[in-house]
């Protein structure tokens, strides 16, 4: 470790100093991400074409709430491309 720079030290510490609390936090975060994918798709199959459910999911799970809509990948890619263009134009 002597003679290494700060980035190498941070990577070394972060890889080898992970304990039970950190693993629990990572598990919780991954579970919430999985839930945000699963819930819109499940509700789309169970309650199709309900506007209030679609709007609520779009507010709560901002990008993943759009998975409630059929053919959501097209809308999602278009939305991301507009955001990318707006970022380059206005920055």
């Amino acid at each position: 470790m002597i003679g290494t720079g700060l980035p190498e030290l941070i990577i070394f510490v972060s890889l080898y100093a992970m304990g039970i609390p950190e693993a629990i936090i990572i598990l919780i975060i991954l579970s919430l991400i999985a839930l945000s994918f699963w819930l819109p798709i499940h509700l789309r199959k169970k309650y199709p074409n309900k506007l209030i459910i679609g709007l609520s999911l779009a507010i709560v799970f901002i990008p993943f709430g759009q998975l409630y809509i059929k053919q959501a990948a097209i809308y999602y890619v278009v939305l991301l491309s507009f955001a990318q263009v707006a970022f380059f134009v206005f920055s």
Side-chain angles (χ1 to χ4, degrees):
M1 293 295 299
I2 296 176
T4 61
L6 185 59
E8 290 85 8
L9 178 64
I10 291 172
I11 291 171
F12 178 77
V13 169
S14 67
L15 288 179
Y16 294 107
M18 189 171 93
I20 298 296
E22 290 87 2
I24 291 172
I25 294 297
I26 290 172
L27 185 65
I28 290 172
I29 290 171
L30 290 176
S31 299
L32 289 174
I33 291 172
L35 176 72
S36 67
F37 274 113
W38 176 79
L39 188 63
I41 293 172
H42 175 71
L43 289 177
R44 177 177 66 189
K45 292 177 183 175
K46 192 166 185 174
Y47 305 108
N49 299 325
K50 301 287 183 188
L51 181 61
I52 191 69
I53 294 175
L55 291 175
S56 301
L57 288 171
I59 290 171
V60 174
F61 304 111
I62 295 170
F64 305 121
Q66 296 178 16
L67 294 176
Y68 182 77
I69 304 169
K70 295 277 188 195
Q71 299 175 347
I74 297 168
Y75 298 118
Y76 190 66
V77 169
V78 169
L79 176 72
L80 286 179
S81 63
F82 280 142
Q84 197 72 13
V85 168
F87 175 75
F88 285 122
V89 167
F90 294 114
S91 65

